[in-house]
Amino acid sequence: MSAFCFVAPSWPMDVWASAMREVMPQLDVRVWPDTVGNPQDITYAAAWLAPPDVLKNFSNLKVIFSLGAGVDAILSDPTLPSQVPIVRVNDPDLTNRMSEYIVLHVLMHHRQQRRLDANQKARLWDGFATHAAKDITVGIMGLGVLGQDSAMKLKAMGFQVVGWSRSRKSLPGVKSFAGSAQFEEFLQCTDILVSLLPATPQTEGIINSKLISKLSRRGPLGAPILINAGRGRQQNENDILAALNSGALHAATLDVFGKEPLPKESPLWGNPNLTITPHVAADSDPKTICGYIQKQISAFEEGGPLQNLVDRQSGY
Ligand code: NDP
Ligand code: OXD
C-alpha cells in the first residue's frame, strides 16, 4: 500500500486533495486527520504548518513535500523523521508572485503612494517632488530563488540593486555581498531593505534597531524603508515600531509576523507609516504546486533524483 497524505490543517484541504487527484488519478490521496487511515500506508506527505508529532507516525514515509518555499515550520518539529528527504517549493508561479509583491511595495514607497492616498482623502492637490529609481538602492537580504528574481525585476525598473547572502552570487548588474563580514557594507548602501531570508537560528531577530541604524540615509526620502516578506521571526517588532515613530525608518511593509495572524491588539496595526499584509506575498497555488509534486513523485518512482531538497544542516 502506498498513499499520499496532506497535513495542512489551516488550508482548504478539499481544494488541495482534488487538485492532487486531478494530476495523479492513480494516487491514493488522503488528508490528515480525517481520512489518514493507517499511518503506515503513507509514503508521501505534503505539509504546511503541520502540528508536531504527526509526521513521525508515518513510519514508511519516503519524501516530505513542503507546500511552500519556507521549511522552518517542518524543521521545528522535534519528532520529525530524521532520514526522510524534504523537498521545498521552487516554482516560477510562486516566484513570480513574490516578485510582483516586492516590485509593488518598492514602487509604492518610492512613489509615495500612501501619501498620495492620504492627500486624495483630504482633497489635497499636492504635486510634491518625485525621484528617479536610479537614485535609490534596493538591498535584498537573501539572494536565493526569490531574491534573485526580484533583484532582476527591480533592476529592469531602473533601481540600483545589491544583495546579501551566505555565498557570493554573480548576477548581472547586481553587487553581491556575502556573509557576516560584508553585512555592514551591504546595509550602508541600502535605501530600501527587502528581506527574503529563510527563518533559521542565524537569521532570528536580524531586523532590529542595530540593523536599522546602519542603513543608508543618503536616499532621496531621507530615511530608509523596510520590506519583510521572509519570516516574522527575523524581525524585532518593537524595534521596527520605535524606528517608524522616531523617523529612523521612513516607512515599512510587513507581510510576515512573529505571531500570525497578527493579534488585533498589536500596536503595529495603527502605525500610519506601516503597510501590513496578511502573509500573502506569494501564495501556493493548489494546481501549480500539485503539478510540481506530481513531477517529483513520477521522477522519483522512476529512480530519478528529487529536486530542491532542503539542507537540514543549514535549515533551508
Ligand atoms: P532560497 O533558499 O532559495 O534562498 C535563501 C537565501 O537566503 C539564499 O540566498 C541564502 O544564501 C540566504 N541566506 C540564508 N541564511 C543566510 C544567512 N544566515 N546570512 C545570509 N544569507 C542567508 O529560498 P527562497 O528564495 O525560495 O525563499 C526565501 C524565503 O522566503 C523562504 O524561506 C520563506 O521564509 C520566504 N517566503 C515567504 C513567502 C510569503 O508569502 N511571505 C512565500 C515564499 C517564501 P545562499 O544563497 O548563500 O545559500
Ligand atoms: C512560503 C510561504 O514559504 O508562503 O511559501 O510563506
Side-chain angles (χ1 to χ4, degrees):
M1 178 69 78
S2 169
F4 175 101
C5 187
F6 283 108
V7 188
S10 57
W11 282 5
M13 277 298 106
D14 47 341
V15 177
W16 282 86
S18 51
M20 198 66 218
R21 287 185 188 112
E22 203 165 304
V23 293
M24 271 193 113
Q26 74 281 20
L27 196 65
D28 176 359
V29 177
R30 305 184 187 180
V31 174
W32 180 90
D34 295 346
T35 59
V36 66
N38 181 354
Q40 265 131 56
D41 296 345
I42 311 301
T43 47
Y44 301 106
W48 185 253
L49 303 184
D53 290 347
V54 173
L55 295 171
K56 74 158 195 224
N57 298 314
F58 302 159
S59 51
N60 291 316
L61 207 49
K62 292 183 191 162
V63 185
I64 298 168
F65 293 97
S66 166
L67 291 174
V71 290
D72 43 300
I74 291 178
L75 294 180
S76 71
D77 178 351
T79 64
L80 186 70
S82 61
Q83 301 305 322
V84 181
I86 304 167
V87 170
R88 71 184 197 94
V89 172
N90 170 359
D91 182 89
D93 177 80
L94 188 142
T95 303
N96 282 334
R97 288 169 193 245
M98 182 57 87
S99 294
E100 282 173 13
Y101 182 90
I102 300 300
V103 171
L104 170 71
H105 286 269
V106 167
L107 286 174
M108 181 187 81
H109 292 296
H110 165 57
R111 298 301 302 250
Q112 301 188 64
Q113 186 58 44
R114 295 281 305 250
R115 183 171 166 188
L116 292 166
D117 292 343
N119 286 352
Q120 180 176 348
K121 216 167 165 198
R123 298 174 175 251
L124 180 65
W125 185 274
D126 176 17
F128 55 78
T130 56
H131 310 280
K134 71 172 175 42
D135 295 332
I136 309 252
T137 300
V138 182
I140 302 181
M141 298 204 289
L143 213 45
V145 172
L146 303 180
Q148 292 192 23
D149 194 68
S150 290
M152 295 323 291
K153 287 173 178 161
L154 289 164
K155 193 80 204 145
M157 299 294 309
F159 291 98
Q160 308 294 332
V161 183
V162 299
W164 181 70
S165 40
R166 288 207 308 165
S167 54
R168 196 172 310 286
K169 308 292 176 221
S170 170
L171 279 182
V174 175
K175 186 161 183 195
S176 161
F177 296 87
S180 47
Q182 293 194 312
F183 191 39
E184 203 158 322
E185 207 186 328
F186 160 77
L187 295 174
Q188 280 167 358
C189 64
T190 292
D191 300 310
I192 300 183
L193 179 69
V194 172
S195 178
L196 284 171
L197 285 168
T200 68
Q202 290 72 34
T203 63
E204 178 110 24
I206 192 169
I207 304 170
N208 54 28
S209 46
K210 190 166 164 219
L211 172 150
I212 293 167
S213 72
K214 303 220 159 101
L215 292 167
S216 160
R217 275 160 180 77
R218 294 181 307 277
L221 295 173
I225 283 157
L226 165 71
I227 299 170
N228 186 9
R231 280 291 182 268
R233 277 171 45 202
Q234 288 153 19
Q235 69 204 12
N236 181 320
E237 290 167 8
N238 290 333
D239 285 6
I240 293 172
L241 205 51
L244 287 167
N245 288 333
S246 70
L249 271 179
H250 180 78
T253 290
L254 302 178
D255 183 54
V256 287
F257 300 88
K259 187 166 192 313
E260 295 179 6
L262 181 64
K264 283 209 184 320
E265 60 278 13
S266 168
L268 293 174
W269 287 110
N271 192 287
N273 297 321
L274 177 59
T275 300
I276 289 175
T277 56
H279 200 143
V280 290
D283 282 342
S284 292
D285 173 65
K287 272 193 181 169
T288 311
I289 304 305
C290 289
Y292 171 83
I293 293 173
Q294 174 270 316
K295 284 199 193 83
Q296 294 252 20
I297 292 180
S298 301
F300 181 70
E301 296 209 328
E302 281 167 21
L306 293 163
Q307 308 290 328
N308 305 309
L309 282 167
V310 172
D311 173 357
R312 290 189 187 219
Q313 203 60 33
S314 55
Y316 62 98

